[in-house]
Coordinates of all heavy atoms in Angstrom, one line a residue:
M1 N -34.0 -173.5 -156.0 CA -35.0 -172.3 -156.1 C -35.2 -171.7 -154.8 O -35.3 -170.5 -154.7 CB -36.3 -172.9 -156.6 CG -36.2 -173.5 -157.9 SD -37.0 -172.5 -159.1 CE -36.5 -173.2 -160.6
A2 N -35.1 -172.5 -153.6 CA -35.4 -171.9 -152.4 C -34.3 -171.0 -152.0 O -34.4 -170.1 -151.3 CB -35.5 -173.0 -151.3
G3 N -33.1 -171.2 -152.5 CA -31.9 -170.4 -152.2 C -32.1 -169.1 -152.8 O -31.6 -168.0 -152.2
S4 N -32.7 -168.9 -154.0 CA -32.9 -167.6 -154.5 C -33.8 -166.7 -153.7 O -33.7 -165.5 -153.5 CB -33.3 -167.6 -156.0 OG -34.7 -168.3 -156.0
G5 N -34.8 -167.4 -153.1 CA -35.8 -166.6 -152.2 C -35.0 -166.2 -151.0 O -35.2 -165.0 -150.5
H6 N -34.1 -166.9 -150.5 CA -33.3 -166.6 -149.2 C -32.4 -165.4 -149.6 O -32.2 -164.4 -148.8 CB -32.4 -167.8 -148.9 CG -31.6 -167.5 -147.7 ND1 -32.1 -167.3 -146.4 CD2 -30.2 -167.4 -147.5 CE1 -31.2 -167.1 -145.5 NE2 -30.0 -167.2 -146.2
N7 N -31.8 -165.3 -150.8 CA -30.9 -164.2 -151.2 C -31.8 -162.9 -151.4 O -31.4 -161.9 -150.9 CB -30.3 -164.5 -152.6 CG -29.2 -165.5 -152.5 OD1 -28.6 -165.8 -151.4 ND2 -28.8 -166.1 -153.6
S8 N -33.1 -163.0 -151.7 CA -33.9 -161.9 -151.8 C -34.1 -161.3 -150.4 O -34.2 -160.1 -150.2 CB -35.2 -162.2 -152.5 OG -36.1 -161.2 -152.4
D9 N -34.4 -162.2 -149.4 CA -34.6 -161.8 -148.1 C -33.3 -161.2 -147.6 O -33.5 -160.1 -146.8 CB -34.8 -163.0 -147.2 CG -36.3 -163.7 -147.4 OD1 -37.1 -163.0 -148.0 OD2 -36.4 -164.8 -147.0
N10 N -32.2 -161.6 -147.8 CA -30.9 -161.0 -147.4 C -30.8 -159.6 -148.0 O -30.3 -158.7 -147.4 CB -29.7 -161.8 -147.7 CG -29.5 -163.0 -146.8 OD1 -30.1 -163.0 -145.7 ND2 -28.8 -163.9 -147.2
T11 N -31.2 -159.5 -149.3 CA -31.1 -158.2 -149.9 C -32.1 -157.2 -149.4 O -31.7 -156.0 -149.0 CB -31.5 -158.4 -151.4 OG1 -30.6 -159.2 -152.1 CG2 -31.4 -157.0 -152.2
N12 N -33.3 -157.6 -149.0 CA -34.3 -156.8 -148.3 C -33.8 -156.4 -146.9 O -33.8 -155.2 -146.6 CB -35.6 -157.4 -148.2 CG -36.3 -157.6 -149.5 OD1 -36.0 -156.8 -150.4 ND2 -37.3 -158.5 -149.6
Q13 N -33.1 -157.2 -146.2 CA -32.6 -156.8 -144.9 C -31.4 -155.9 -145.1 O -31.3 -155.0 -144.3 CB -32.1 -158.2 -144.2 CG -33.2 -159.0 -143.7 CD -32.8 -160.3 -143.2 OE1 -31.6 -160.7 -143.2 NE2 -33.7 -161.0 -142.5
D14 N -30.5 -156.2 -146.0 CA -29.4 -155.2 -146.2 C -30.0 -153.8 -146.6 O -29.4 -152.8 -146.1 CB -28.5 -155.7 -147.4 CG -27.7 -157.0 -146.9 OD1 -27.7 -157.2 -145.8 OD2 -27.3 -157.7 -147.9
T15 N -31.0 -153.8 -147.4 CA -31.6 -152.5 -147.8 C -32.2 -151.8 -146.6 O -31.9 -150.6 -146.5 CB -32.6 -152.7 -148.9 OG1 -32.1 -153.3 -150.0 CG2 -33.3 -151.4 -149.3
K16 N -32.8 -152.5 -145.8 CA -33.4 -151.9 -144.6 C -32.3 -151.3 -143.6 O -32.4 -150.3 -143.1 CB -34.3 -152.9 -143.8 CG -35.6 -153.1 -144.5 CD -36.5 -154.2 -143.8 CE -37.7 -154.6 -144.6 NZ -38.4 -155.7 -143.9
A17 N -31.2 -152.2 -143.5 CA -30.2 -151.8 -142.6 C -29.4 -150.5 -143.3 O -29.2 -149.6 -142.5 CB -29.1 -152.9 -142.5
T18 N -29.2 -150.5 -144.5 CA -28.6 -149.3 -145.2 C -29.5 -148.0 -144.9 O -29.1 -147.0 -144.6 CB -28.4 -149.6 -146.7 OG1 -27.6 -150.7 -146.8 CG2 -27.8 -148.3 -147.3
K19 N -30.8 -148.2 -145.2 CA -31.7 -147.0 -144.9 C -31.7 -146.6 -143.4 O -31.7 -145.4 -143.2 CB -33.1 -147.4 -145.3 CG -34.1 -146.3 -145.2 CD -35.5 -146.6 -145.9 CE -36.5 -145.5 -145.6 NZ -36.0 -144.2 -145.6
S20 N -31.6 -147.6 -142.6 CA -31.6 -147.2 -141.2 C -30.3 -146.5 -140.9 O -30.3 -145.4 -140.1 CB -31.7 -148.5 -140.3 OG -31.5 -148.2 -139.0
N21 N -29.2 -146.9 -141.4 CA -28.0 -146.3 -141.2 C -27.9 -144.8 -141.8 O -27.5 -143.9 -141.2 CB -26.8 -147.0 -141.8 CG -26.5 -148.2 -141.0 OD1 -26.8 -148.4 -139.8 ND2 -25.8 -149.2 -141.6
Q22 N -28.6 -144.6 -142.9 CA -28.7 -143.4 -143.5 C -29.5 -142.4 -142.8 O -29.2 -141.2 -142.6 CB -29.2 -143.5 -145.0 CG -28.3 -144.1 -146.0 CD -29.0 -144.3 -147.4 OE1 -30.2 -144.3 -147.4 NE2 -28.2 -144.7 -148.3
D23 N -30.6 -142.9 -142.2 CA -31.5 -142.1 -141.3 C -30.8 -141.7 -140.1 O -30.8 -140.6 -139.6 CB -32.7 -142.9 -141.0 CG -33.7 -143.1 -142.2 OD1 -33.5 -142.4 -143.1 OD2 -34.5 -143.9 -142.0
S24 N -29.9 -142.6 -139.4 CA -29.3 -142.2 -138.2 C -28.1 -141.2 -138.6 O -27.8 -140.3 -137.7 CB -28.7 -143.4 -137.6 OG -27.7 -144.0 -138.4
N25 N -27.5 -141.3 -139.8 CA -26.5 -140.3 -140.1 C -27.2 -138.9 -140.2 O -26.5 -138.0 -139.9 CB -25.9 -140.7 -141.5 CG -24.9 -141.8 -141.4 OD1 -24.5 -142.2 -140.3 ND2 -24.7 -142.4 -142.5
L26 N -28.4 -138.8 -140.6 CA -29.1 -137.5 -140.8 C -29.2 -136.9 -139.3 O -29.3 -135.7 -139.3 CB -30.5 -137.7 -141.4 CG -30.4 -138.2 -142.9 CD1 -31.9 -138.4 -143.4 CD2 -29.8 -137.2 -143.8
Q27 N -29.3 -137.6 -138.3 CA -29.4 -137.1 -137.1 C -28.1 -136.7 -136.4 O -28.1 -136.2 -135.3 CB -30.2 -138.1 -136.2 CG -31.6 -138.4 -136.6 CD -32.3 -139.5 -136.0 OE1 -31.8 -140.0 -134.9 NE2 -33.5 -139.9 -136.4
D28 N -27.1 -137.0 -137.1 CA -25.7 -136.7 -136.6 C -25.3 -135.2 -136.7 O -24.3 -134.9 -136.4 CB -24.7 -137.6 -137.2 CG -24.7 -139.0 -136.7 OD1 -25.4 -139.3 -135.7 OD2 -24.2 -139.8 -137.4
F29 N -26.2 -134.4 -137.2 CA -25.9 -133.0 -137.4 C -26.0 -132.3 -136.0 O -26.9 -132.5 -135.1 CB -26.9 -132.3 -138.3 CG -26.6 -132.6 -139.8 CD1 -27.0 -133.9 -140.3 CD2 -26.0 -131.6 -140.6 CE1 -26.5 -134.1 -141.7 CE2 -25.7 -131.9 -141.9 CZ -25.9 -133.2 -142.4
S30 N -25.0 -131.5 -135.7 CA -25.1 -130.7 -134.5 C -26.1 -129.6 -134.5 O -26.5 -129.2 -135.6 CB -23.7 -130.2 -134.1 OG -23.4 -129.2 -135.0
E31 N -26.4 -129.0 -133.3 CA -27.4 -128.0 -133.3 C -26.8 -126.7 -134.1 O -27.6 -126.0 -134.9 CB -27.6 -127.6 -131.9 CG -28.7 -126.5 -131.8 CD -29.2 -126.2 -130.4 OE1 -28.9 -127.0 -129.5 OE2 -29.6 -125.1 -130.2
D32 N -25.5 -126.5 -134.0 CA -24.8 -125.4 -134.8 C -25.0 -125.6 -136.2 O -25.2 -124.7 -137.0 CB -23.4 -125.2 -134.3 CG -23.2 -124.7 -132.9 OD1 -24.1 -124.1 -132.5 OD2 -22.1 -124.9 -132.4
E33 N -24.7 -126.9 -136.6 CA -24.8 -127.2 -138.1 C -26.3 -127.0 -138.6 O -26.5 -126.4 -139.6 CB -24.4 -128.7 -138.4 CG -22.9 -128.9 -138.2 CD -22.5 -130.4 -138.4 OE1 -23.3 -131.2 -137.9 OE2 -21.5 -130.7 -139.1
E34 N -27.2 -127.4 -137.8 CA -28.6 -127.3 -138.1 C -28.9 -125.8 -138.3 O -29.6 -125.4 -139.3 CB -29.6 -127.9 -137.1 CG -29.5 -129.4 -137.1 CD -30.3 -130.1 -136.0 OE1 -31.0 -129.3 -135.3 OE2 -30.2 -131.2 -135.8
N35 N -28.6 -124.9 -137.4 CA -28.8 -123.5 -137.4 C -28.1 -122.9 -138.6 O -28.8 -122.0 -139.3 CB -28.4 -122.9 -136.2 CG -29.2 -123.2 -135.0 OD1 -30.3 -123.6 -135.1 ND2 -28.6 -123.1 -133.8
L36 N -26.9 -123.3 -138.9 CA -26.2 -122.8 -140.1 C -26.9 -123.2 -141.4 O -27.1 -122.3 -142.3 CB -24.7 -123.2 -140.1 CG -23.8 -122.6 -141.2 CD1 -23.9 -121.1 -141.2 CD2 -22.4 -123.1 -141.1
I37 N -27.3 -124.4 -141.4 CA -28.0 -124.8 -142.7 C -29.3 -124.0 -142.9 O -29.6 -123.6 -144.0 CB -28.3 -126.3 -142.6 CG1 -27.0 -127.2 -142.7 CG2 -29.3 -126.7 -143.8 CD1 -27.2 -128.6 -142.4
A38 N -30.0 -123.9 -141.8 CA -31.2 -123.0 -141.9 C -31.0 -121.7 -142.3 O -31.8 -121.1 -143.3 CB -32.0 -123.1 -140.6
R39 N -30.0 -121.0 -141.8 CA -29.7 -119.6 -142.1 C -29.2 -119.5 -143.6 O -29.6 -118.6 -144.3 CB -28.6 -119.0 -141.2 CG -29.1 -118.7 -139.8 CD -28.2 -117.8 -139.0 NE -26.8 -118.2 -139.1 CZ -26.1 -118.9 -138.3 NH1 -26.7 -119.4 -137.3 NH2 -24.8 -119.2 -138.5
M40 N -28.3 -120.5 -143.9 CA -27.8 -120.5 -145.3 C -28.9 -120.7 -146.3 O -28.9 -120.2 -147.3 CB -26.6 -121.5 -145.5 CG -25.4 -121.2 -144.8 SD -24.5 -119.7 -145.4 CE -24.2 -120.3 -147.1
F41 N -29.8 -121.6 -146.0 CA -30.8 -122.0 -146.8 C -31.7 -120.7 -147.1 O -32.2 -120.4 -148.2 CB -31.8 -123.1 -146.3 CG -32.9 -123.5 -147.2 CD1 -32.6 -124.4 -148.3 CD2 -34.1 -123.0 -147.2 CE1 -33.7 -124.8 -149.2 CE2 -35.1 -123.4 -148.0 CZ -34.9 -124.2 -149.0
G42 N -32.0 -119.9 -146.1 CA -32.7 -118.7 -146.2 C -32.0 -117.7 -147.1 O -32.6 -116.9 -147.8
L43 N -30.7 -117.7 -147.2 CA -29.9 -116.8 -148.0 C -29.7 -117.3 -149.4 O -29.9 -116.5 -150.3 CB -28.5 -116.6 -147.4 CG -28.5 -115.9 -146.0 CD1 -27.0 -115.9 -145.5 CD2 -28.9 -114.4 -146.3
V44 N -29.4 -118.6 -149.6 CA -29.1 -119.0 -150.9 C -30.0 -120.1 -151.5 O -29.8 -120.5 -152.7 CB -27.6 -119.6 -151.0 CG1 -26.6 -118.5 -150.6 CG2 -27.4 -120.8 -150.1
G45 N -30.9 -120.6 -150.7 CA -31.8 -121.6 -151.2 C -31.2 -122.9 -151.3 O -30.4 -123.3 -150.4
K46 N -31.7 -123.7 -152.3 CA -31.2 -125.1 -152.5 C -29.8 -125.2 -153.1 O -29.6 -126.1 -153.8 CB -32.3 -125.8 -153.3 CG -33.6 -125.9 -152.7 CD -34.5 -126.8 -153.4 CE -35.9 -126.9 -152.8 NZ -36.7 -127.7 -153.6
R47 N -29.0 -124.2 -152.8 CA -27.6 -124.4 -153.4 C -26.7 -125.1 -152.4 O -26.0 -124.6 -151.7 CB -27.0 -123.0 -153.7 CG -27.9 -122.3 -154.8 CD -27.6 -121.0 -155.0 NE -26.3 -120.7 -155.7 CZ -25.7 -119.6 -155.9 NH1 -26.2 -118.5 -155.6 NH2 -24.5 -119.7 -156.6
W48 N -27.0 -126.4 -152.3 CA -26.4 -127.3 -151.3 C -24.8 -127.3 -151.3 O -24.3 -127.4 -150.3 CB -26.8 -128.7 -151.6 CG -28.4 -128.8 -151.6 CD1 -29.1 -129.3 -152.6 CD2 -29.3 -128.4 -150.5 NE1 -30.5 -129.1 -152.3 CE2 -30.7 -128.7 -151.0 CE3 -29.2 -127.9 -149.3 CZ2 -31.7 -128.4 -150.3 CZ3 -30.3 -127.7 -148.6 CH2 -31.6 -127.9 -149.1
S49 N -24.2 -127.1 -152.5 CA -22.7 -127.0 -152.5 C -22.2 -125.8 -151.8 O -21.1 -125.9 -151.1 CB -22.2 -127.2 -153.9 OG -22.7 -126.1 -154.7
L50 N -22.9 -124.7 -151.9 CA -22.5 -123.5 -151.2 C -22.6 -123.7 -149.7 O -21.8 -123.3 -148.9 CB -23.3 -122.3 -151.7 CG -23.0 -121.8 -153.0 CD1 -24.0 -120.6 -153.3 CD2 -21.6 -121.3 -153.1
I51 N -23.7 -124.3 -149.3 CA -24.0 -124.6 -147.9 C -22.9 -125.5 -147.3 O -22.3 -125.3 -146.2 CB -25.4 -125.1 -147.6 CG1 -26.4 -124.0 -148.1 CG2 -25.6 -125.4 -146.1 CD1 -27.9 -124.6 -148.1
A52 N -22.6 -126.6 -148.1 CA -21.6 -127.6 -147.7 C -20.2 -127.0 -147.5 O -19.4 -127.3 -146.7 CB -21.5 -128.8 -148.7
G53 N -20.0 -125.9 -148.3 CA -18.7 -125.3 -148.3 C -18.5 -124.5 -147.0 O -17.3 -124.2 -146.6
R54 N -19.5 -124.3 -146.2 CA -19.5 -123.6 -144.8 C -19.4 -124.6 -143.7 O -19.2 -124.2 -142.6 CB -20.7 -122.6 -144.7 CG -20.8 -121.6 -145.8 CD -19.7 -120.6 -145.4 NE -19.9 -119.4 -146.3 CZ -19.0 -118.4 -146.3 NH1 -18.1 -118.4 -145.5 NH2 -19.2 -117.4 -147.1
I55 N -19.6 -125.9 -144.1 CA -19.6 -126.9 -142.9 C -18.6 -128.0 -143.3 O -18.8 -128.9 -144.1 CB -21.0 -127.5 -142.8 CG1 -22.1 -126.4 -142.7 CG2 -21.1 -128.5 -141.7 CD1 -23.5 -126.9 -142.7
P56 N -17.5 -127.9 -142.6 CA -16.3 -128.8 -142.8 C -16.8 -130.3 -142.6 O -17.5 -130.5 -141.6 CB -15.3 -128.5 -141.8 CG -15.6 -127.0 -141.4 CD -17.0 -126.8 -141.5
G57 N -16.4 -131.1 -143.6 CA -16.7 -132.6 -143.4 C -18.1 -132.9 -143.9 O -18.5 -134.1 -143.8
R58 N -18.9 -132.0 -144.4 CA -20.2 -132.3 -144.9 C -20.3 -132.1 -146.4 O -19.7 -131.3 -146.9 CB -21.3 -131.4 -144.3 CG -21.5 -131.6 -142.8 CD -22.0 -132.8 -142.4 NE -22.3 -133.0 -141.0 CZ -22.9 -134.0 -140.4 NH1 -23.1 -135.1 -141.0 NH2 -23.0 -134.1 -139.1
T59 N -21.0 -133.1 -147.0 CA -21.1 -133.0 -148.5 C -22.5 -132.3 -148.8 O -23.4 -132.3 -147.9 CB -21.1 -134.4 -149.2 OG1 -22.2 -135.1 -148.8 CG2 -19.8 -135.2 -148.8
A60 N -22.6 -131.8 -150.1 CA -23.8 -131.3 -150.5 C -25.0 -132.3 -150.4 O -26.1 -132.0 -150.0 CB -23.7 -130.8 -151.9
E61 N -24.6 -133.6 -150.7 CA -25.7 -134.6 -150.6 C -26.1 -134.9 -149.3 O -27.3 -135.0 -149.0 CB -25.1 -135.9 -151.3 CG -24.8 -135.8 -152.8 CD -23.5 -135.1 -153.2 OE1 -22.7 -134.9 -152.3 OE2 -23.4 -134.8 -154.3
E62 N -25.3 -134.9 -148.3 CA -25.7 -135.1 -146.9 C -26.5 -134.0 -146.5 O -27.6 -134.3 -145.7 CB -24.5 -135.1 -145.9 CG -23.5 -136.3 -146.0 CD -22.3 -136.1 -145.1 OE1 -21.7 -135.2 -145.2 OE2 -22.2 -137.2 -144.3
I63 N -26.2 -132.7 -146.8 CA -27.0 -131.6 -146.3 C -28.4 -131.6 -147.0 O -29.4 -131.4 -146.3 CB -26.2 -130.4 -146.6 CG1 -25.0 -130.2 -145.6 CG2 -27.2 -129.1 -146.3 CD1 -24.1 -129.2 -146.0
E64 N -28.4 -132.0 -148.3 CA -29.8 -132.0 -149.0 C -30.6 -133.0 -148.4 O -31.8 -132.9 -148.2 CB -29.6 -132.2 -150.5 CG -30.8 -132.3 -151.2 CD -30.7 -132.5 -152.7 OE1 -29.5 -132.7 -153.2 OE2 -31.6 -132.4 -153.5
K65 N -30.0 -134.3 -148.1 CA -30.8 -135.3 -147.6 C -31.3 -134.9 -146.1 O -32.5 -135.3 -145.8 CB -30.0 -136.7 -147.4 CG -29.8 -137.3 -148.7 CD -29.0 -138.6 -148.5 CE -28.6 -139.2 -149.9 NZ -27.8 -140.4 -149.7
Y66 N -30.4 -134.3 -145.3 CA -30.9 -133.9 -144.0 C -32.0 -132.9 -144.1 O -33.1 -133.0 -143.5 CB -29.7 -133.2 -143.4 CG -30.2 -132.3 -142.2 CD1 -30.6 -132.8 -140.9 CD2 -30.2 -131.0 -142.4 CE1 -31.0 -132.0 -139.9 CE2 -30.8 -130.1 -141.4 CZ -31.1 -130.6 -140.2 OH -31.5 -129.7 -139.2
W67 N -31.9 -131.9 -145.0 CA -32.9 -130.8 -145.2 C -34.2 -131.5 -145.6 O -35.3 -131.2 -145.1 CB -32.4 -129.8 -146.2 CG -33.4 -128.6 -146.2 CD1 -34.4 -128.5 -147.2 CD2 -33.5 -127.5 -145.4 NE1 -35.0 -127.3 -146.9 CE2 -34.5 -126.7 -145.8 CE3 -32.8 -127.1 -144.2 CZ2 -34.8 -125.5 -145.2 CZ3 -33.1 -125.9 -143.6 CH2 -34.1 -125.2 -144.0
T68 N -34.2 -132.3 -146.7 CA -35.5 -132.8 -147.2 C -36.1 -133.7 -146.3 O -37.3 -133.7 -146.1 CB -35.3 -133.4 -148.6 OG1 -34.3 -134.5 -148.5 CG2 -34.8 -132.5 -149.7
S69 N -35.4 -134.5 -145.6 CA -35.9 -135.5 -144.6 C -36.6 -134.7 -143.4 O -37.7 -135.0 -142.9 CB -35.0 -136.5 -144.1 OG -34.0 -135.9 -143.3
K70 N -35.9 -133.7 -142.9 CA -36.4 -132.9 -141.8 C -37.6 -132.2 -142.1 O -38.6 -132.1 -141.4 CB -35.4 -131.9 -141.3 CG -35.8 -131.2 -140.1 CD -34.6 -130.5 -139.4 CE -35.2 -129.7 -138.3 NZ -34.2 -129.1 -137.5
Y71 N -37.6 -131.5 -143.3 CA -38.8 -130.6 -143.6 C -39.9 -131.3 -144.4 O -41.0 -130.9 -144.3 CB -38.2 -129.4 -144.4 CG -37.5 -128.5 -143.4 CD1 -36.2 -128.5 -143.3 CD2 -38.3 -127.8 -142.5 CE1 -35.5 -127.8 -142.3 CE2 -37.6 -127.0 -141.6 CZ -36.2 -127.0 -141.4 OH -35.7 -126.3 -140.4
R72 N -39.6 -132.5 -144.9 CA -40.7 -133.3 -145.6 C -41.5 -133.8 -144.4 O -42.7 -133.8 -144.5 CB -40.1 -134.4 -146.4 CG -41.2 -135.3 -147.1 CD -40.6 -136.5 -147.9 NE -39.7 -136.0 -148.8 CZ -38.6 -136.7 -149.1 NH1 -38.3 -137.8 -148.4 NH2 -37.7 -136.2 -149.9
S73 N -40.8 -134.3 -143.4 CA -41.7 -135.0 -142.3 C -42.5 -133.9 -141.5 O -43.6 -134.2 -141.1 CB -40.6 -135.7 -141.4 OG -39.8 -134.9 -140.8
S74 N -41.9 -132.7 -141.4 CA -42.6 -131.7 -140.7 C -43.9 -131.2 -141.4 O -44.8 -130.8 -140.9 CB -41.8 -130.5 -140.2 OG -41.3 -129.8 -141.4
K75 N -43.8 -131.2 -142.7 CA -44.9 -130.7 -143.6 C -46.0 -131.8 -143.7 O -47.1 -131.5 -143.8 CB -44.4 -130.5 -145.0 CG -43.6 -129.3 -145.1 CD -43.2 -129.1 -146.6 CE -42.3 -127.9 -146.8 NZ -41.9 -127.7 -148.2
E76 N -45.7 -133.1 -143.4 CA -46.7 -134.2 -143.4 C -47.5 -134.2 -142.2 O -48.5 -134.9 -142.1 CB -46.0 -135.5 -143.7 CG -45.5 -135.6 -145.1 CD -44.6 -136.9 -145.3 OE1 -44.5 -137.7 -144.3 OE2 -44.2 -137.1 -146.4
R77 N -47.1 -133.7 -141.2 CA -47.8 -133.7 -139.9 C -48.9 -132.7 -139.8 O -49.2 -131.9 -140.4 CB -46.8 -133.2 -138.7 CG -45.7 -134.3 -138.6 CD -44.8 -134.0 -137.4 NE -43.7 -135.0 -137.4 CZ -42.6 -134.8 -136.7 NH1 -42.4 -133.8 -136.0 NH2 -41.8 -135.7 -136.8

């Protein structure tokens, strides 16, 4: 029984590590990418796939996560 609690702890640690890695990936956007995302968002709104089409190597999901995390945190302040 004690072993199952240990697995739960490992799962929680893995989840925290994954979340931390995802957060650091969001900060890997260059200033040029950030500016382009902001300009494109102003033009096309939440059409993430269109925005991603203008940024090589970025997926629509990455861009949406970046945008929502950046602007969600600034609205809460």
Side-chain angles (χ1 to χ4, degrees):
M1 300 247 169
S4 64
H6 182 65
N7 289 339
S8 175
D9 291 342
N10 285 342
T11 302
N12 289 338
Q13 289 174 351
D14 291 343
T15 302
K16 288 177 185 176
T18 301
K19 180 167 176 35
S20 176
N21 288 340
Q22 289 172 347
D23 291 344
S24 66
N25 289 342
L26 295 175
Q27 297 173 7
D28 289 342
F29 282 78
S30 70
E31 187 175 336
D32 288 340
E33 288 175 318
E34 291 176 5
N35 291 335
L36 181 57
I37 292 168
R39 286 195 319 264
M40 290 293 296
F41 184 83
L43 293 171
V44 301
K46 295 181 179 183
R47 298 174 70 185
W48 307 118
S49 60
L50 286 177
I51 298 171
R54 297 289 184 179
I55 305 175
R58 297 291 186 182
T59 65
E61 291 81 14
E62 285 177 309
I63 293 170
E64 182 178 8
K65 285 179 185 179
Y66 160 78
W67 185 264
T68 55
S69 72
K70 181 172 181 170
Y71 289 96
R72 180 183 310 140
S73 63
S74 66
K75 287 180 183 178
E76 291 175 357
R77 292 180 186 169

